[in-house]
Amino acid sequence: MKVAVFGAGYVGLVTGAVLADLGHQVTLIEVSEEKIALINQRRSPIFEEGLEPIIARAMDQGHLSVTSAPETVVGSSEVIFIAVGTPPLPDGEADLRFVRQAALAIGRNMTGETRQVIVNKATVPIGSANLVEVWVQDGYREVHGRVPSNEWYTVASNPEFLREGTAVLDTLYPDRIVLGADEEWAIERLQELYLPITQQSFEPPPEAPRPHGLTASPVFVTDRISSEMIKYAANAFLATKISFANEIANVSERVGADVVQVMRGIGLDQRIGGRFLNAGIGWGGSCFGKDLAALTVTAEEYGYQPRLLYATQEVNRDQRLLVVKRLQEVLKPIKGRRIAVWGVAFKPGTDDLRDAPSLTIIEELLRLGARVRVYDPIALENLRRLRPDFDVEYADSAEDALDGADALILATEWPSFAEIPLSTIAERLTRGIVIDGRNFWDPNAAVRVGLQYRGIGR
Ligand SMILES: NC(=O)c1ccc[n+]([C@@H]2O[C@H](COP(=O)([O-])OP(=O)(O)OC[C@H]3O[C@@H](n4cnc5c(N)ncnc54)[C@H](O)[C@@H]3O)[C@@H](O)[C@H]2O)c1
């Protein structure tokens, strides 16, 4: 099938490359010349496990290409994904500027030569499918002086649930594919597009083996508005789960319970489930914060005060700074102390720093007058580029970050940090203080090697 994808970011690039590798004819439409140049060199502009070989293979087979010129692809594409960013505006509302630009470009270049499904894959506020329809009409009208025929296209919603760090696996082996459309032919078209995935009929690529026993991935078909809401509700629920774990952590440590044990204990209940119950410095990343803010704004627009969503966000705001408070309890004063920070990416497996809790923590440490030395296996380059205002030292390795430091804060639980013995951490830190923002280490083991260990909720 001929597919165009607006936006070659985390979502558009992974979706486009995977669909191309499955045999579809995919063209990415991107505005960043830098990204286009990298992709044309068969390199990925983002760090995502297994993605680069898929891009290379799909391009070598002639199934994947990238362009900055929508006019060369829009007219002939049967499915057009809009996967551009929808960042938050200062009031929390989603900024639909890029979606509008993409929709206008689709309208300007629509020819009617083939019937098209325009798909909102980006996370967009409830009702955005209607907006995209209007913008597509505006674009067409600019060129032709009238609106395009209704017969030529329809707008559908197909929210994305991939997780950065496992995006390729999530795209090939999703828990579900949600399709929202008001027209049957659009659903049929999208079902056909995703058939290799829903039937799991493809040969798994070497970089992304199929989970044992998986024989199909379900499709959930619904109306457009419910589909748009599903994405927001899913992220709100996941963020709430983490904030709930943090709420219980804060009570646990006051009464002497260990939140790690508590969450294991409740997670065994199948109604609750054990995932997304890790207490720590809270959630971050490009989606949870902005999607909760957007859902909150939507609720308020319709006269409803979403109290649970307010609380989820409030707990998370406080949680980020808990590690600094912990540090203040054991290291007085913080001014002039050297603090090592391990991990800046908002979670392991990605180089994405958008709304990373580490940034709030580093900001606060600097404000308090600490000297900060940071290490992250892959996100340091992004930190240098995105936060030139941070007066921090960049370490060459995790061990290097510890040298001469009074204390270590763990902000991102990269698995490679587990390879460094706790005894090495104890030897290298001058005061042996470890503030474990992710409950990554066994507190008893840390104490045994002489560390002054503080976790969250234990
Ligand atoms: N990142 C995730 O984990 C994730 C998961 C699910 C859903 N989403 C949603 O998907 C959407 C995209 O997120 P992302 O993380 O991929 O963003 P991103 O910033 O990584 O990528 C967006 C890309 O769109 C490009 N772009 C902007 N305007 C364009 C235009 N007019 N034409 C062509 N390209 C244009 C940008 O240059 C950028 O490369 C957002 O709505 C996000 O909420 C993201």
Side-chain angles (χ1 to χ4, degrees):
M1 196 176 286
K2 271 203 88 174
V3 178
V5 182
F6 276 81
Y10 286 88
V11 169
L13 180 56
V14 175
T15 304
V18 165
L19 288 175
D21 201 33
L22 292 176
H24 294 297
Q25 195 63 39
V26 180
T27 307
L28 305 166
I29 302 163
E30 174 54 61
V31 287
S32 158
E33 289 297 339
E34 203 183 328
K35 286 190 182 178
I36 293 178
L38 278 169
I39 296 167
N40 275 327
Q41 292 162 30
R42 280 125 174 88
R43 287 170 54 203
S44 170
I46 52 164
F47 178 84
E48 195 56 59
E49 191 72 40
L51 179 59
E52 223 160 55
I54 292 179
I55 293 174
R57 196 167 48 234
M59 291 188 96
D60 289 344
Q61 287 172 350
H63 290 165
L64 181 68
S65 59
V66 60
T67 177
S68 60
E71 61 276 14
T72 57
V73 266
V74 164
S76 57
S77 296
E78 297 158 87
V79 175
I80 306 174
F81 283 107
I82 300 180
V84 297
T86 48
L89 289 166
D91 68 351
E93 207 181 328
D95 183 351
L96 293 181
R97 187 173 9 150
F98 306 114
V99 174
R100 179 170 179 271
Q101 285 162 4
L104 283 171
I106 294 169
R108 287 185 196 117
N109 296 293
M110 190 171 263
T111 57
E113 72 190 77
T114 176
R115 215 174 183 197
Q116 304 181 301
V117 187
I118 299 162
V119 187
N120 272 338
K121 191 163 243 330
T123 305
V124 287
I126 319 302
S128 295
N130 300 349
L131 271 180
V132 165
E133 231 162 56
V134 170
W135 289 328
V136 167
Q137 290 168 1
D138 288 348
Y140 189 86
R141 196 185 352 234
E142 256 178 42
V143 179
H144 302 278
R146 57 187 159 84
V147 296
S149 160
N150 276 341
E151 292 295 304
W152 293 357
Y153 74 102
T154 190
V155 179
S157 161
N158 168 220
E160 181 53 60
F161 300 99
L162 64 77
R163 295 161 299 173
E164 289 176 23
T166 51
V168 171
L169 289 168
D170 292 343
T171 306
L172 283 168
Y173 313 112
D175 287 345
R176 79 308 205 181
I177 292 171
V178 174
L179 303 177
D182 296 340
E183 303 199 40
E184 194 50 40
W185 69 269
I187 295 290
E188 280 166 14
R189 174 84 54 89
L190 294 175
Q191 278 177 326
E192 189 191 331
L193 177 80
Y194 283 120
L195 206 62
I197 294 175
T198 53
Q199 295 192 342
Q200 289 294 314
S201 55
F202 60 90
E203 187 62 38
E207 43 290 304
R210 179 175 286 130
H212 184 69
L214 185 79
T215 52
S217 294
V219 184
F220 183 73
V221 176
T222 183
D223 61 275
R224 290 199 308 204
I225 295 174
S226 302
S227 171
E228 290 169 342
M229 186 55 125
I230 284 169
K231 176 63 194 174
Y232 282 108
N235 275 354
F237 187 78
L238 292 170
T240 301
K241 247 186 134 177
I242 298 175
S243 282
F244 174 81
N246 283 328
E247 184 95 304
I248 298 297
N250 293 332
V251 181
S252 288
E253 65 186 31
R254 283 167 173 79
V255 300
D258 178 344
V259 73
V260 176
Q261 299 293 319
V262 175
M263 289 303 132
R264 264 187 217 142
I266 69 166
L268 288 169
D269 184 327
Q270 289 187 16
R271 293 169 303 174
I272 297 173
R275 292 164 77 188
F276 260 69
L277 284 177
N278 297 332
I281 55 177
W283 43 265
S286 67
C287 291
F288 283 4
K290 92 172 164 63
D291 293 350
L292 256 86
L295 183 56
T296 301
V297 170
T298 301
E300 288 169 347
E301 271 174 11
Y302 286 81
Y304 182 74
Q305 305 289 311
R307 288 154 295 172
L308 200 52
L309 301 186
Y310 295 143
T312 295
Q313 295 167 90
E314 198 182 317
V315 168
N316 199 58
R317 260 195 303 275
D318 292 349
Q319 205 66 21
R320 287 188 175 189
L321 291 176
L322 201 60
V323 285
V324 181
K325 285 201 190 115
R326 281 290 128 80
L327 192 60
Q328 281 176 314
E329 285 159 18
V330 286
L331 189 66
K332 292 174 188 154
I334 285 192
K335 203 180 285 300
R337 307 285 196 185
R338 290 181 171 276
I339 313 297
V341 174
W342 276 7
V344 287
F346 85 91
K347 67 172 182 177
T350 179
D351 58 353
D352 197 345
L353 291 182
R354 288 178 285 185
D355 198 25
S358 66
L359 302 181
T360 315
I361 292 165
I362 294 171
E363 221 161 57
E364 182 67 0
L365 290 172
L366 292 174
R367 194 184 68 78
L368 292 170
R371 300 287 302 276
V372 179
R373 200 167 159 75
V374 293
Y375 176 71
D376 187 286
I378 55 165
L380 285 188
E381 223 18 75
N382 275 350
L383 183 66
R384 265 203 191 93
R385 196 167 47 82
L386 297 171
R387 295 307 299 258
D389 58 314
F390 273 6
D391 183 15
V392 298
E393 294 168 19
Y394 294 88
D396 295 329
S397 65
E399 288 96 332
D400 177 36
L402 301 175
D403 276 336
D406 296 283
L408 165 67
I409 291 180
L410 180 98
T412 315
E413 68 281 32
W414 283 96
S416 59
F417 294 154
E419 290 160 19
I420 298 166
L422 282 164
S423 54
T424 305
I425 300 176
E427 281 156 26
R428 296 225 179 186
L429 288 176
T430 50
R431 281 167 207 265
I433 299 167
V434 170
I435 311 291
D436 182 356
R438 298 292 185 181
N439 289 338
F440 184 64
W441 289 291
D442 171 6
N444 295 326
V447 170
R448 270 201 300 277
V449 298
L451 287 168
Q452 225 180 311
Y453 173 92
R454 301 293 301 272
I456 305 284
R458 54 200 326 206

